[in-house]
Amino acid sequence: MPHTDSGLHALQPVDLDAGAVFSGTPSGRMIKGYRQPSTYTPKADPDYIFHETTRDIVVWLMTASDPLYVFGPTGSGKSSAIRQLAARLNYPVFEVTGHGRLEFPDLVGHLSVHQGSMAFRYGPLALAMKHGGLFLLNELDLLEPATATGLNGILDGQPLCIPENGGELVTPHPMFRFAATANTNGGSDETGLYQGTLRQNLAFLDRFWLCEMGYPEPAAEERLLERIAPQLPAPLRRTMIDYANEVRRLFMGESGTAHGASIEVTFSTRTLIRWADLTQRFQPLARQGIQPVAYALDRTLGFKATRETRTLLHEIAQRMFPTGE
């Protein structure tokens, strides 16, 4: 959907109790949000369980501050945490995914033909700055460092100058926030897991508040699977989480087992949820001698892997799950 400023002029900032918003228990600590959601406000997921690291993001949201850089392994929930926090504050989110060909004008806007004449269409960064939205730049470490450095003035709180629109100066709205996510901390990938990532300019990185996000704690994922797949026995759900964490360790090369090098696929929480849901739905296959856990595993993760990795995934599953499950 193309970005427009339709409806954004009606945004009304309000003070909200942070505890009441995020936990249901008033805390007396206030946080800025909006009275009503807008077209650009993410949809709140009632089943979402906030990662313990989100407390850092909440503190960041409470006051105008340096931009935020959240990094961590793929599938750990970096972007979804920011979206879900924004959803509960009715914050509009303007989201862009970084890549090697992304250029600064893609963020600011461009001239286009509208009703027979040339008109300027604001880009996601300009709209967030004008109207007090949250600009979310995903995969920041895939950006060319020269393009990223072009953001330095914005990160310092300076106005955005748009020469293509008559030299318009966009002063940052007090509610404007700039957040970025990436798999690395911008200092290059030492693991070899994330092809295409680039080492970013140190002066650029120095402008960010950094936050590292790992995979959720097992207890948090247990509560989530209990809600998503209540028909599965609790011991089975716990073993599925243990299995997911073993795969995650293999992916990051931290398993400490004899399996050798890291594998190319991993479990996000979203993938774990899908696995539990499909395992629950495929239970009738057990009457045909088909193991629902292994059957659902292929349709969740195994078919995305190489043949060698898929074989390894099933070897681990045979070890961790009784054959009757």
Side-chain angles (χ1 to χ4, degrees), residues 69-197:
Y69 185 167
V70 184
F71 69 96
T74 184
S76 57
K78 302 177 291 293
S79 299
S80 59
I82 294 172
R83 289 190 208 104
Q84 288 302 310
L85 288 170
R88 284 152 178 80
L89 297 171
N90 292 325
Y91 238 101
V93 175
F94 301 89
E95 192 167 348
V96 172
T97 299
H99 55 81
R101 296 183 301 279
L102 185 70
E103 298 181 352
F104 195 66
D106 297 327
L107 308 179
V108 175
H110 61 273
L111 289 167
S112 63
V113 178
H114 179 67
Q115 295 181 350
S117 61
M118 296 299 291
F120 188 80
R121 291 182 66 84
Y122 292 102
L125 176 60
L127 285 172
M129 293 181 69
K130 279 171 66 73
H131 300 289
L134 192 157
F135 177 70
L136 177 56
L137 178 56
N138 291 312
E139 311 295 352
L140 179 146
D141 53 2
L142 295 180
L143 281 183
E144 287 291 339
T147 300
T149 302
L151 292 165
N152 282 357
I154 303 302
L155 302 181
D156 288 339
Q158 298 175 12
L160 170 66
C161 180
I162 310 178
E164 296 85 353
N165 200 29
E168 177 186 5
L169 278 180
V170 179
T171 302
H173 190 286
M175 296 278 283
F176 169 61
R177 298 289 185 272
F178 188 116
T181 68
N183 294 130
T184 74
N185 63 2
S188 76
D189 175 27
E190 298 176 348
T191 67
L193 297 174
Y194 305 108
Q195 298 297 314
T197 56

